[in-house]
Amino acid sequence: MSFRSAKVVNVEELGENIYRMKLKLMENLNADPLPFQFLMVWIPRVKEVPMSISDYVNGSLAILFRVRGRGTEALSRARGFIGLRGPYGRGLNLHIGERILVIAGGVGIAPIPYLVRTASRTGSSIGVLWGVRKASEVICEDELFQGVKPDFFYVATEDCSTNYCGTAIDIAPKLINQGNWDRVILIGPPEMLREGCSRFIEINPMVALESIVKCGIGLCGTCSLKPLPMLLCMNGPLYKCSQVVDYLEHS
Amino acid sequence: MLLGVNVAGLSLKHPVMNASGILGSSPEHVDILVSYNVSAVVTKTITLQPREGYETPIIIELPSGGVLNAVGLANPGAEAVKSLVSRAKALKAPLIASIGGRNEGEFIDVAIAVDEAGVDAIELNLSCPHTKGYGIEIGVDPHNVYSVTKNVASITTKPILAKLGLSDSIVKSCEKALSAGAKALTLINTVKAMFIDVYAAKPVLSNIFGGLSGPPIHPIAVRVVYEVYRELKPEIVGCGGVSMWSDAAELILAGAKAIQVGTALMKGGEVVTHILKGLEEWLKIMNLKSIEEAVGLAQV
């Protein structure tokens, strides 16, 4: 999809160093994006960064991000207009009525509100287990999922400030065993994905990967998942663990 | 072998290779390009030292069609070419190293490195429109084209292709490249352009200026190939906005013996297979026995 402009509606700090930016596209996307697809977000004359689509309804878009560099820092302060390219990546086509368990770590939660919104349209059900380090990073359910509800939303904290004490991966086995899941999706930092793929090897879950992306359209090769001959922007960011085990080991 | 061609001393199973700048900077990229079924892999332009390239945005798909890029010749440096060569050899794919430099000396140093690494041919990037000191700043002057090509030809026996871009002196530059020892010409590179976001009221590429590629430049490429073939009858690798078989056929009829596809690979490698299938059917309809019979047929 070609470049388009968007107006910044607002930026809120939802949790410690976690921001949500709401945008109004000056021209709607040609079709609704698929969950887990991403955009390239341009902060004028600063930088362009890849961002998951956190929510999208009829030209109103939300992105959720942690400030961790010059681009995201500028994004958190951006007002007026920014630019967008995408959506890129293959994304996830939901089957009617399917049951998905999401195990998210940290800001890996970003695309999940849009997954839940899409699932509400296809009659699919999404259970979410979210792990964060400490109480200040927690975002409450209503704030995160605006106007839609997952089947359940459990928050695990490593500082034990919520009912679930530990990492999301620690808590996950019970949930995996309890539910009759059609898919289990892991999303979060690489070490979490590596651990999840290894611990839940018998169910071969899906992982949503992150990488540096520059062109987003398969031309520059920056997002190549070395040593695998795959480009995240062309066939990612979702893979079965078994497809990307070599990449996770090297990353 | 309807589709087989010989160009710049390389015997290729078909005429479609990737354009330089599309992947081509790591062994994994070579894997991907070979899976796209290109007949030769052209590397990203290699400079002596690695280059990071520009800050993002480096590429924009334009609302009017076409793609604008200013990657800034990001590449892993001459030392890395060995790993590209060994992967290409393992996959039995010819490898053409695109090389760049700011002066004759740099071109020579990179050429020596890629020659020793065992590449099958060398494409001189004399036409990148967006990296200061490289490319078109050299290629726009026919004397520089002669000097760089002559110097590189003096240190290698590998076939040399000179990749030139749009300029008023294009025919003269082509003539100079050929007289200096280039076996073939790659025509054309991207065309210098820019894009402004009307709401942010700023240029979007970090480098401000970039190279336009894709369908908007195809008629320009056809014109340049036609004119250069008419004047000089050289071997030409046509490049510029090829996204379907008929675009490739046009360039062949204008005078190209082989084709490079760049921007159209953004939809994946299937486009290569579509182009080949289309060309094969077209040759049959035209009652032509080979691609080579079609080269330059449109010349009047």
Side-chain angles (χ1 to χ4, degrees):
Chain A
M1 300 300 149
S2 67
F3 180 93
R4 61 193 74 212
S5 308
K7 187 168 181 17
V8 177
V9 177
N10 65 35
V11 185
E12 310 157 85
E13 188 171 6
L14 298 185
E16 189 182 340
N17 212 21
I18 309 260
Y19 292 80
R20 177 170 58 206
M21 173 180 272
K22 289 188 177 168
L23 296 153
K24 183 69 188 166
L25 272 64
M26 302 310 286
E27 184 195 341
N28 282 5
L29 297 175
N30 300 344
D32 281 352
L34 292 171
F36 297 100
Q37 283 192 302
F38 64 92
L39 297 166
M40 296 300 291
V41 177
W42 176 60
I43 309 106
R45 302 315 301 160
V46 179
K47 200 175 175 174
E48 187 186 50
V49 287
M51 285 281 154
S52 294
I53 294 166
S54 194
D55 208 355
Y56 182 79
V57 183
N58 193 28
S60 292
L61 173 82
I63 52 176
L64 188 81
F65 56 94
R66 183 194 297 279
V67 171
R68 54 182 166 195
R70 198 167 64 90
T72 44
E73 204 276 324
L75 192 60
S76 72
R77 289 186 289 105
R79 302 294 181 267
F81 292 93
I82 64 167
L84 302 170
R85 297 191 292 123
Y88 297 130
R90 212 181 254 170
L92 180 67
N93 263 307
L94 288 172
H95 303 307
I96 292 167
E98 76 174 317
R99 289 169 46 75
I100 298 176
L101 172 64
V102 173
I103 303 163
V107 78
I109 197 71
I112 307 308
Y114 187 60
L115 172 68
V116 173
R117 183 175 301 284
T118 309
S120 71
R121 295 174 188 149
T122 57
S124 313
S125 57
I126 313 287
V128 182
L129 168 62
W130 184 33
V132 295
R133 288 207 178 87
K134 50 187 196 274
S136 61
E137 293 172 351
V138 176
I139 305 169
C140 72
E141 182 174 344
D142 290 346
E143 188 63 61
L144 187 60
F145 302 96
Q146 297 200 311
V148 290
K149 269 186 89 62
D151 267 23
F152 59 78
F153 180 60
Y154 301 145
V155 182
T157 44
E158 290 174 40
D159 69 358
C160 299
S161 54
T162 54
N163 289 341
Y164 299 93
C165 178
T167 68
I169 297 291
D170 291 336
I171 316 284
K174 218 172 167 187
L175 284 171
I176 291 175
N177 294 331
Q178 277 170 2
N180 186 23
W181 305 109
D182 295 303
R183 298 175 203 264
V184 174
I185 298 174
L186 307 172
I187 182 164
E191 56 276 19
M192 172 194 156
L193 303 184
R194 214 163 22 237
E195 190 187 347
C197 281
S198 145
R199 285 197 33 192
F200 312 131
I201 191 166
E202 71 285 356
I203 60 162
N204 194 18
M206 297 185 88
V207 281
L209 301 182
E210 239 187 54
S211 104
I212 297 172
V213 177
K214 287 190 177 174
C215 81
I217 51 178
L219 301 182
C220 77
T222 305
C223 65
S224 121
L225 303 176
K226 291 180 184 180
L228 303 168
M230 298 198 287
L231 301 173
L232 178 140
C233 72
M234 294 295 275
N235 46 32
L238 278 176
Y239 299 92
K240 284 277 191 186
C241 280
S242 55
Q243 288 177 284
V244 291
V245 61
D246 287 351
Y247 166 74
L248 287 171
E249 274 171 21
H250 285 81
S251 66
Chain B
M1 283 298 285
L2 225 49
L3 294 180
V5 291
N6 283 292
V7 66
L10 302 175
S11 176
L12 304 177
K13 63 180 177 180
H14 65 69
V16 181
M17 49 184 101
N18 67 291
S20 176
I22 309 304
L23 305 173
S25 60
S26 76
E28 292 79 12
H29 294 171
V30 174
D31 288 333
I32 295 170
L33 288 168
V34 171
S35 78
Y36 289 174
N37 192 27
V38 292
S39 60
V41 170
V42 185
T43 70
K44 216 160 162 20
T45 295
I46 304 292
T47 52
L48 194 56
Q49 301 300 328
R51 283 176 57 93
E52 277 288 315
Y54 297 137
E55 181 68 272
T56 54
I58 58 165
I59 202 158
I60 317 162
E61 297 144 274
L62 301 172
S64 55
V67 167
L68 190 61
N69 89 81
V71 173
L73 296 184
N75 79 92
E79 189 56 33
V81 174
K82 287 178 201 147
S83 68
L84 307 182
V85 170
S86 72
R87 187 63 60 93
K89 286 205 187 307
L91 298 166
K92 298 188 171 25
L95 188 91
I96 300 172
S98 168
I99 68 169
R102 282 168 294 197
N103 50 50
E104 289 92 338
E106 284 191 10
F107 268 98
I108 288 171
D109 289 345
V110 188
I112 290 170
V114 302
D115 182 317
E116 284 173 357
V119 302
D120 295 287
I122 296 172
E123 184 179 85
L124 305 175
N125 182 350
L126 296 164
S127 42
C128 171
H130 57 69
T131 305
K132 199 165 170 47
Y134 291 83
I136 196 100
E137 290 181 18
I138 295 172
V140 77
D141 181 345
H143 298 292
N144 287 342
V145 170
Y146 182 85
S147 169
V148 170
T149 310
K150 187 84 186 163
N151 274 290
V152 172
S154 73
I155 58 89
T156 182
T157 55
K158 301 277 163 64
I160 296 170
L161 300 94
K163 184 169 181 177
L164 294 161
L166 186 64
S167 77
D168 292 340
S169 53
I170 182 73
V171 175
K172 190 78 187 157
S173 288
C174 288
E175 189 185 342
K176 287 289 182 187
L178 294 164
S179 65
K183 288 267 192 306
L185 306 166
T186 303
L187 301 171
I188 58 173
N189 208 315
T190 58
V191 177
K192 190 171 183 179
M194 75 181 291
F195 174 69
I196 293 170
D197 174 21
V198 296
Y199 293 101
K202 289 280 182 272
V204 176
L205 287 176
S206 66
N207 186 55
I208 301 172
F209 304 116
L212 178 65
S213 64
I217 71 163
H218 182 255
I220 302 174
V222 175
R223 187 277 289 178
V224 171
V225 169
Y226 185 95
E227 211 171 321
V228 171
Y229 188 81
R230 186 182 63 194
E231 299 301 320
L232 306 168
K233 296 282 182 303
E235 288 196 2
I236 298 173
V237 178
C239 180
V242 173
S243 63
M244 51 185 152
W245 72 265
S246 55
D247 298 332
E250 256 190 279
L251 284 168
I252 291 165
L253 289 169
K257 230 176 166 186
I259 298 297
Q260 292 182 348
V261 179
T263 304
L265 292 174
M266 72 182 180
K267 291 170 190 149
E270 295 82 8
V271 65
V272 176
T273 310
H274 289 308
I275 290 170
L276 294 176
K277 196 164 171 284
L279 283 178
E280 197 160 6
E281 283 169 15
W282 170 69
L283 287 176
K284 284 179 192 158
I285 291 167
M286 299 295 285
N287 205 19
L288 296 166
K289 291 186 185 59
S290 68
I291 290 287
E292 305 210 0
E293 279 192 14
V295 174
L297 264 190
Q299 292 282 339
V300 291

